[in-house]
Amino acid sequence: MTMSRFLSQEAERLAPYTPGEQPTDLQYVKLNTNESPFPPSPRVIKAVTRAELLKLNLYSDPTCAALDGAVAAYYELRPENVLTGNGSDEILAFAFRAFCGQGKPVAFADITYSFYHAQTALFGLEKQIVPLREDFSLHVEDYMGFPGTIVIANPNAPTGMAVPRTDIQRLLEADPNRVVIVDEAYVDFGGESCVPMIFRYDNLLVVQTMSKSRSLAGGRVGFALGSPALIDALNRVKYSFNPYNVNRLSIAAGTAAMEDAAYFETCRGAILRNRGWLTGELEALGFTVLPSAANFVFAKSDRVSGGELYRQLKENGVLVRWFDKERIRDYVRITVGSMEQLVSFIDETAKILDAV
């Protein structure tokens, strides 16, 4: 790729996030981007009406009142405790800009969602990288003395491992003058949510998404939950950047998705069952599988490298995610898809191992 001669020094220093592959050349068994294998709720389909489509000539509601209200009702909060956005990535960007800067560094794990690195580079922030322990567990003791904003993905990605809510509580109480951002993108699949602690700790910001457990990855709907003061800070950034940040169709879809708790529970339950089956099958093939509280598993084999497994699976029409990074390059991350997808993945993986 040719770099533009007009590129600023600041843009040249950026560390862009690398999304998972979205190929169009072939029909793959797609287990690489942690999308839901299930369609959106029928109520979502019903909500995106012709009447709503005909209003696309009009701006969306900048306050996202209907969507914020649905999120608040689900979590038994008030609308002033909620900010919705164009995916949780945008919410995280607002938070990095609002709570980090001169004299306010940010800390996060060495192995975690790489978007955090992209945001610190984008905003020119001072950061401290805190290594996970040898077994990939996160210990809040490693963050206790840090004076700035702390970001913890819980459950973590790409490991899938979770931190108990009581550990986050100790971190919040250790220094009430710093913000702790808990990124709960995968919490619906087995993690302990910190949402119940929002009224007790005004330095807690919880970020969630509808991309995974509510089948709206393409709808781009995320949200933050926190004290009114923290939400006001995020709104300050939002209205300085993109006031109409959630489009009309996503507001309608997200509202309907939050209101259909029964469909959410049905899909979530299926993912949990499928994850158990996938873990057992991988272990039967000799894989080491980290304990997952997410809609994916992180696994390695002693018989084939992570990179080679990824490449051979792709050649045979199956996509998983591989990270060519120190400490984790032996692993692949496998999205928990439908049973049909997972059976195909296991069959192809067994063939690869048999040929080793």
Side-chain angles (χ1 to χ4, degrees):
M1 184 180 294
T2 304
M3 189 160 306
S4 170
R5 62 190 176 90
F6 301 109
L7 197 67
S8 68
Q9 291 183 4
E10 290 80 5
E12 193 173 351
R13 289 195 292 266
L14 295 182
Y17 172 70
T18 303
E21 296 170 272
Q22 299 283 358
T24 57
D25 57 329
L26 293 171
Q27 281 294 109
Y28 287 94
V29 175
K30 196 167 180 298
L31 301 174
N32 66 324
T33 48
N34 300 339
E35 295 148 317
S36 172
F38 307 113
S41 156
R43 291 178 64 168
V44 169
I45 308 302
K46 188 176 180 180
V48 182
T49 61
R50 175 177 170 80
E52 200 63 37
L53 287 166
L54 290 173
K55 295 178 184 176
L56 287 178
N57 59 310
L58 304 174
Y59 283 112
S60 58
D61 174 13
T63 70
C64 301
L67 183 55
D68 286 6
V71 173
Y74 182 86
Y75 288 101
E76 299 182 340
L77 301 171
R78 298 186 293 265
E80 54 264 37
N81 295 118
V82 180
L83 176 82
T84 47
N86 184 3
S88 60
D89 288 343
E90 182 183 63
I91 297 294
L92 288 166
F94 291 166
F96 272 79
R97 181 67 290 171
F99 307 121
C100 311
Q102 188 172 359
K104 290 182 177 290
V106 60
F108 48 84
D110 62 335
I111 300 169
T112 192
Y113 185 27
S114 59
F115 195 69
Y116 306 154
H117 290 277
Q119 290 296 343
T120 55
L122 177 63
F123 297 125
L125 305 175
E126 179 186 347
K127 66 184 177 184
Q128 181 169 318
I129 306 301
V130 183
L132 297 177
R133 299 294 176 91
E134 178 114 5
D135 63 353
F136 298 116
S137 61
L138 185 148
H139 289 237
V140 296
E141 288 79 10
D142 299 336
Y143 294 81
M144 285 299 182
F146 184 73
T149 298
I150 295 168
V151 184
I152 293 177
N154 193 35
N156 195 16
T159 66
M161 296 172 66
V163 176
R165 184 165 59 210
T166 51
D167 284 3
I168 304 292
Q169 181 176 352
R170 290 194 292 115
L171 199 57
L172 290 162
E173 292 175 349
D175 186 351
N177 295 314
R178 67 182 172 200
V179 174
V180 177
I181 301 170
V182 184
D183 181 355
E184 294 188 347
Y186 301 100
V187 75
D188 293 324
F189 304 106
E192 271 190 303
S193 178
C194 289
V195 172
M197 301 196 296
I198 283 172
F199 288 122
R200 280 184 287 157
Y201 301 101
D202 64 359
N203 58 331
L204 167 65
L205 186 76
V206 176
V207 179
Q208 292 195 16
T209 178
M210 298 193 195
S211 294
K212 321 298 182 184
S213 57
R214 289 185 170 82
S215 304
L216 285 182
R220 311 308 305 129
V221 182
F223 50 94
L225 308 170
S227 68
L230 292 185
I231 298 302
D232 283 347
L234 296 179
N235 268 310
R236 183 178 181 85
V237 176
K238 166 186 166 173
Y239 283 96
S240 300
F241 175 69
N242 185 15
Y244 303 100
N245 62 327
V246 185
N247 69 73
R248 280 184 166 273
L249 303 185
S250 292
I251 289 175
T255 301
M258 289 304 303
E259 291 173 347
D260 196 347
Y263 186 79
F264 160 78
E265 289 294 347
T266 297
C267 295
R268 189 176 76 92
I271 293 296
L272 296 182
R273 290 191 297 274
N274 292 1
R275 185 181 69 201
W277 182 89
L278 174 61
T279 299
E281 291 295 311
L282 284 169
E283 290 176 342
L285 290 173
F287 278 79
T288 298
V289 185
L290 297 188
S292 175
N295 69 334
F296 58 84
V297 298
F298 205 48
K300 72 170 181 176
S301 170
D302 292 333
R303 297 167 60 188
V304 61
S305 70
E308 187 60 25
L309 179 59
Y310 156 75
R311 285 186 286 271
Q312 289 199 41
L313 283 170
K314 185 175 180 180
E315 288 174 6
N316 290 286
V318 179
L319 285 179
V320 296
R321 191 79 191 267
W322 174 62
F323 302 90
D324 188 11
K325 295 180 180 179
E326 190 176 355
R327 294 187 70 186
I328 60 172
R329 59 172 53 95
D330 289 337
Y331 287 79
V332 291
R333 191 192 70 191
I334 307 124
T335 301
V336 179
S338 67
M339 279 304 300
E340 181 182 11
Q341 290 175 313
L342 297 181
V343 168
S344 295
F345 161 74
I346 289 295
D347 287 347
E348 293 299 333
T349 300
K351 291 176 187 176
I352 292 169
L353 293 179
D354 287 342
V356 174

